[in-house]
């Protein structure tokens, strides 16, 4: 993947993509605003969500052990994965042990993050995505571009073409004469997926939350595909980030109000599936929970950046972001696009890579993401913090020198006044664009014009 500026420049040249994104993000954000406005205590709920997550993250070691104990006591098996490679090895081994060559999947960001489908494919195991949007992405040999609506960059006509051309290669073909009517597209997907649900012996899921006190996992969804995957197969494997824990059922209540309104703008999501270990004669007879770190404890160690781990993946920040609306999700080069991706990916993967180093700058710092975030993550604060980290790396000597020089002058009032006067006198000689590495910055901006007289001189003359 190229760094964000190049990827975004390419994406913004695609008029269809921009139209699809604009239509979808505006529709969801307007609906969300109306649904949130119905609750008089939204700000209190938001504060409660933040407080619960902060408390849990501070005592994560305790709550994770509680989860392990409760899941084990309920008949499940807990596996600990330090990174993507270990998680993929565990899941692949578990699937192979069942003797099956295919799995059905509930939409899961964690499994995308670790590249599980590719790891399974390398072992000859086919993973079938069962969420409608994920199905569109998988059939189109595409990548997700939104946390909640992975195929947000596709319109109905494009989806019809993908179904008509690609469904047959993955199972039941699309019906003859399929049109782009939403009901027809949904029916085609339903028929295609139904045979997979009925045949599958193994399912792989993530989870929105884990309730530590009972070891209960929670999946919140809208299509019922999750319910099918979580109940029909004999073996269920759930890969969940360690930050998904909430201590009690009372805490869960807060998030079950925050999440649907922030994500799909629903008062209550259609399907909330909860399961605790295994139950004889009811649902999967084997349950494995893979607890995934993959950079999370490193993020937790960062006092400013750790707030990103409060994220409940509602995607509200994506839908209000002016940068995401124009560039789309692919430009972020990660499964986590938009404002949350710009702060989460560099923390999970480090800032050494070109893509990761570019992400903290993929923002205008307008603050809209913070205002809508249901767990009050101050995304602009983390962005600036990460920019500092990037600027400390090799290759940023000029920026550091410029900031050090500015700091020196701003610290000395007499020197600052002299510098202002010198700048005012030489204003006609100032270039319109910065030279050297600063040139790109002025490609799209005018350098501010220096006034003919510094403000402090004007003040002294007029108000002294
Ligand atoms: S950062 Fe906040 S608004 Fe964005 S996805 Fe996470 S919880 Fe939702």
């Amino acid at each position: 993947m190229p760094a964000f500026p190049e990827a975004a420049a390419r994406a913004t040249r695609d008029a269809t993509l921009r139209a699809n994104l604009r239509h979808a993000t505006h529709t969801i954000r307007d609906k969300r605003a109306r649904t949130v406005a119905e609750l008089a205590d939204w700000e209190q709920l938001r504060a409660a969500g933040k407080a619960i997550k902060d408390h849990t993250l501070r005592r994560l070691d305790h709550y994770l052990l509680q989860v392990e104990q409760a899941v084990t006591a309920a008949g499940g098996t807990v596996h600990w994965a330090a990174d993507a490679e270990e998680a993929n090895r565990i899941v692949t081994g578990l699937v192979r042990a069942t003797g099956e060559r295919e799995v059905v999947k509930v939409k899961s960001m964690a499994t995308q993050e670790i590249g599980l489908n590719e790891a399974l494919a390398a072992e000859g195991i086919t993973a079938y995505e069962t969420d409608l949007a994920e199905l569109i992405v998988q059939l189109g040999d595409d990548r997700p571009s939104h946390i909640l609506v992975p195929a947000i960059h596709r319109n109905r006509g494009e989806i019809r073409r993908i179904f008509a051309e690609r469904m047959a290669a993955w199972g039941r073909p699309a019906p003859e004469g399929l049109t782009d009517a939403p009901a027809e597209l949904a029916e085609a997907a339903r028929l295609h997926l139904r045979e997979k649900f009925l045949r599958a012996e193994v399912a792989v899921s993530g989870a929105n939350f884990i309730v530590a006190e009972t070891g209960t996992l929670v999946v919140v969804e809208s299509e019922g595909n999750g319910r099918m995957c979580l109940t029909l197969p004999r073996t269920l494997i759930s890969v969940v980030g360690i930050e998904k824990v909430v201590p009690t059922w009372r805490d869960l209540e807060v998030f079950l109000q925050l999440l649907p309104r922030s994500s799909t703008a629903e008062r209550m999501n259609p399907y909330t599936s909860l399961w605790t270990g295994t139950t004889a004669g009811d649902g999967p007879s084997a349950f494995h929970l893979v607890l995934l770190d993959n950079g999370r404890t490193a993020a937790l160690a960062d006092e400013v950046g750790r707030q990103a781990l409060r994220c409940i993946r509602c995607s509200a920040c994506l839908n209000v972001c002016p940068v995401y609306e124009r560039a789309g999700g692919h430009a972020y080069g990660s499964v986590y696009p938009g404002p949350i991706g710009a702060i989460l990916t560099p923390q999970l993967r480090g800032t050494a890579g070109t893509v990761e180093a570019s992400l903290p700058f993929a923002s205008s710092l307008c603050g809209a993401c913070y205002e809508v975030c249901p767990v009050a993550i101050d995304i602009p604060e983390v962005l600036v913090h990460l920019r500092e980290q990037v600027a400390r790396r090799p290759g940023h000597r000029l920026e550091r020198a410029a900031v050090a020089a500015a700091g020196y002058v701003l610290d000395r009032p007499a020197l600052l006044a002299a510098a202002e006067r010198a700048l005012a006198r030489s204003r006609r000689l100032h270039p319109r664009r910065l030279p050297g590495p600063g040139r790109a910055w002025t490609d799209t901006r005018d350098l501010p014009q220096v006034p003919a007289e510094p403000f402090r001189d004007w003040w002294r003359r007029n108000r002294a």
Side-chain angles (χ1 to χ4, degrees):
M1 278 298 295
F4 184 84
E6 294 99 88
R10 199 178 304 156
T12 48
R13 283 196 288 272
D14 185 336
T16 309
L17 174 72
R18 284 210 321 272
N20 294 349
L21 284 168
R22 185 178 160 74
H23 173 71
T25 54
H26 280 250
T27 306
I28 308 174
R29 82 160 80 151
D30 294 346
K31 256 180 89 183
R32 178 207 157 271
R34 283 195 298 274
T35 323
V36 164
E38 291 173 355
L39 290 187
D41 63 348
W42 180 256
E43 282 308 316
Q44 285 96 315
L45 269 173
R46 192 173 177 238
K50 173 181 187 286
I52 293 166
K53 281 282 182 180
D54 280 346
H55 164 85
T56 317
L57 290 169
R58 269 199 304 275
R59 302 204 57 206
L60 196 55
D61 52 343
H62 163 77
Y63 287 118
L64 285 171
L65 291 177
Q66 196 181 0
V67 166
E68 182 180 41
Q69 205 175 28
V71 170
T72 309
T77 308
V78 176
H79 309 259
W80 300 84
D83 53 25
E85 199 185 330
E86 190 174 8
N88 285 333
R89 201 168 50 240
I90 293 168
V91 178
T92 310
L94 290 169
V95 178
R96 288 180 67 167
T98 65
E100 295 295 322
R101 309 304 288 173
E102 53 184 48
V103 302
V104 284
K105 278 189 70 204
V106 189
K107 180 177 165 358
S108 146
M109 299 305 297
T111 58
Q112 282 174 24
E113 176 189 321
I114 61 175
L116 179 63
N117 289 11
E118 293 76 12
L120 289 171
E123 293 293 322
I125 300 162
T126 309
Y128 294 110
E129 296 290 350
T130 64
D131 171 86
L132 176 54
E134 289 288 0
L135 174 70
I136 295 163
V137 168
Q138 184 170 50
L139 294 179
D141 207 11
D142 200 353
R143 284 177 296 120
S145 65
H146 190 278
I147 292 176
L148 192 73
V149 199
I152 197 169
H153 55 290
R154 298 287 193 193
N155 59 32
R156 283 194 273 147
E158 291 172 302
I159 295 168
R160 189 208 69 77
R161 183 181 51 73
I162 290 169
F163 279 9
E165 289 174 4
R166 298 285 300 149
M167 260 185 177
W170 287 80
R172 182 179 174 132
E176 282 292 320
L178 180 69
T179 73
D180 65 3
E184 277 194 42
L185 295 173
E187 179 65 1
R190 202 180 68 83
L191 294 170
H192 179 81
L193 291 171
R194 181 64 49 138
E195 62 173 27
K196 298 194 164 32
F197 293 133
L198 296 178
R199 197 174 63 213
E201 295 288 341
V202 183
V204 175
S205 84
N208 295 95
F209 307 100
I210 309 175
V211 183
E213 64 180 347
T214 52
T216 303
L217 277 80
V218 185
V219 161
V220 171
E221 44 118 8
S222 302
E223 296 169 15
N225 66 303
R227 179 69 55 86
M228 298 282 230
C229 292
L230 298 168
T231 51
L232 291 177
R234 284 184 209 280
T235 301
L236 173 60
I237 304 165
S238 300
V239 183
V240 188
I242 53 174
E243 80 283 19
K244 297 287 177 184
V245 182
V246 296
T248 67
W249 283 76
R250 282 199 68 180
D251 299 324
L252 180 65
E253 178 206 332
V254 171
F255 294 105
L256 291 186
Q257 293 177 75
L258 286 172
L259 182 54
R261 285 176 194 262
S262 299
S263 53
T264 46
E266 291 166 308
R267 296 183 184 111
M268 189 180 170
N269 51 287
Y271 296 89
T272 303
S273 300
L274 306 105
W275 70 101
T276 310
T278 55
T279 306
D282 183 11
S285 51
F287 169 56
H288 297 271
L289 170 61
V290 182
L291 287 168
L292 177 71
D293 184 330
N294 205 31
R296 285 160 176 78
T297 47
L300 193 57
D302 185 320
E303 287 180 15
V304 178
R306 66 172 61 139
Q307 55 186 308
L309 298 178
R310 293 205 294 263
C311 177
I312 55 173
R313 312 278 190 266
C314 71
S315 73
C317 57
L318 277 65
N319 301 327
V320 296
C321 177
V323 176
Y324 175 86
E325 183 188 321
R326 284 155 184 86
H330 291 159
Y332 293 79
S334 149
V335 295
Y336 300 110
I340 181 60
I343 61 169
L344 193 59
T345 306
Q347 293 199 80
L348 295 182
R349 306 204 304 220
T351 52
T354 319
V355 173
E356 293 79 4
S358 71
L359 289 177
F361 300 88
S363 168
S364 64
L365 299 182
C366 71
C369 47
Y370 170 57
E371 279 167 32
V372 294
C373 178
V375 284
I377 299 172
D378 193 341
I379 294 176
E381 182 190 25
V382 184
L383 285 167
V384 172
H385 172 69
L386 291 170
R387 287 180 187 187
E388 282 171 26
Q389 283 185 12
V390 173
R392 278 199 289 270
R393 298 191 68 81
H396 294 267
R397 265 211 337 263
L398 265 176
E399 282 157 77
R400 284 200 298 274
V403 171
Y408 185 84
V409 175
L410 290 167
D411 236 7
R412 292 163 177 78
L415 188 57
L416 178 62
E420 284 172 350
R421 276 189 208 112
L423 275 173
R425 280 189 206 116
S426 60
R427 60 200 284 266
R428 291 192 200 292
L429 304 173
H430 295 175
R432 304 290 299 270
R433 299 176 67 186
L434 287 172
R439 192 181 169 86
W441 200 79
T442 46
D443 273 349
T444 51
R445 300 172 183 84
D446 291 330
L447 268 185
Q449 281 202 337
V450 176
E453 180 180 33
F455 174 75
R456 60 181 81 214
D457 290 354
W458 178 91
W459 181 265
R460 200 170 296 123
R461 200 158 43 75
N462 289 286
R463 297 278 195 275

